[in-house]
């Protein structure tokens, strides 16, 4: 009778062990799959932000020619961009320390331009 009880006890322990092992393996597989999906989304989000990045900003100094106005220069340097000319003029005034939009021939002006 002890042998039969011992055999039944061993069989029961083995069944419980296999259930626990299968639960641990299934949990590991689920966590692994979840981490792969989440990691891929994070990488995709990172790639999207880099490909959709704004244009790079550069500065250069130009000499003001006869007949140039700040608005004409702004129009020239914002051509092909989505930037508002009024805001660009304000940015030029701030960069160059101008109180008004009046500029003088022969002086130099720092302008901003953008590249991809």
């Amino acid at each position: 009778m002890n042998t039969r009880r011992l055999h039944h006890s061993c069989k029961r322990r083995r069944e419980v062990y296999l259930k626990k092992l299968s639960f641990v393996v299934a949990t590991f597989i689920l966590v692994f799959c979840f981490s792969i999906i989440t990691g891929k989304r994070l990488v995709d989000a990172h790639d999207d932000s880099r490909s959709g990045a704004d244009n790079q900003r550069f500065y250069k100094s130009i000499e003001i020619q006869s007949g140039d106005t700040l608005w004409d220069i702004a129009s020239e340097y914002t051509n092909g961009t989505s930037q508002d000319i009024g805001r660009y003029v304000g940015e030029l005034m701030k960069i160059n320390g101008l109180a008004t939009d009046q500029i003088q021939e022969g002086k130099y002006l720092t302008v901003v331009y953008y590249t991809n």
Side-chain angles (χ1 to χ4, degrees):
M1 187 126 171
N2 271 341
T3 309
R4 188 173 183 177
R5 199 179 281 172
L6 185 59
H7 176 70
H8 182 68
S9 176
C10 281
K11 187 177 176 183
R12 179 72 181 139
R13 260 189 256 141
R14 194 174 320 130
E15 288 173 357
V16 170
Y17 174 76
L18 288 175
K19 283 182 181 180
K20 286 181 179 180
L21 181 64
S22 63
F23 177 75
V24 168
V25 169
T27 303
F28 176 76
I29 290 171
L30 285 172
V31 168
F32 183 72
C33 291
F34 179 74
S35 64
I36 287 175
I37 291 169
T38 304
K40 181 169 176 20
R41 284 189 177 171
L42 290 174
V43 169
D44 288 344
H46 180 63
D47 287 345
D48 289 345
S49 68
R50 296 189 106 239
S51 65
D54 291 339
N55 296 333
Q56 290 183 340
R57 169 188 255 181
F58 295 97
Y59 299 89
K60 80 177 191 179
S61 181
I62 61 167
E63 185 176 2
I64 300 170
Q65 303 297 317
S66 176
D68 281 347
T69 67
L70 204 54
W71 291 88
D72 292 337
I73 293 170
S75 177
E76 179 182 340
Y77 282 93
T78 59
N79 189 17
T81 66
S82 61
Q83 189 170 9
D84 179 54
I85 293 177
R87 285 187 182 184
Y88 187 83
V89 168
E91 187 176 11
L92 288 180
M93 289 173 61
K94 183 178 177 182
I95 291 170
N96 292 286
L98 301 173
T100 67
D101 63 354
Q102 300 299 313
I103 53 177
Q104 298 175 2
E105 175 185 353
K107 301 276 183 170
Y108 286 87
L109 188 69
T110 301
V111 295
V112 180
Y113 67 97
Y114 301 89
T115 62
N116 292 334

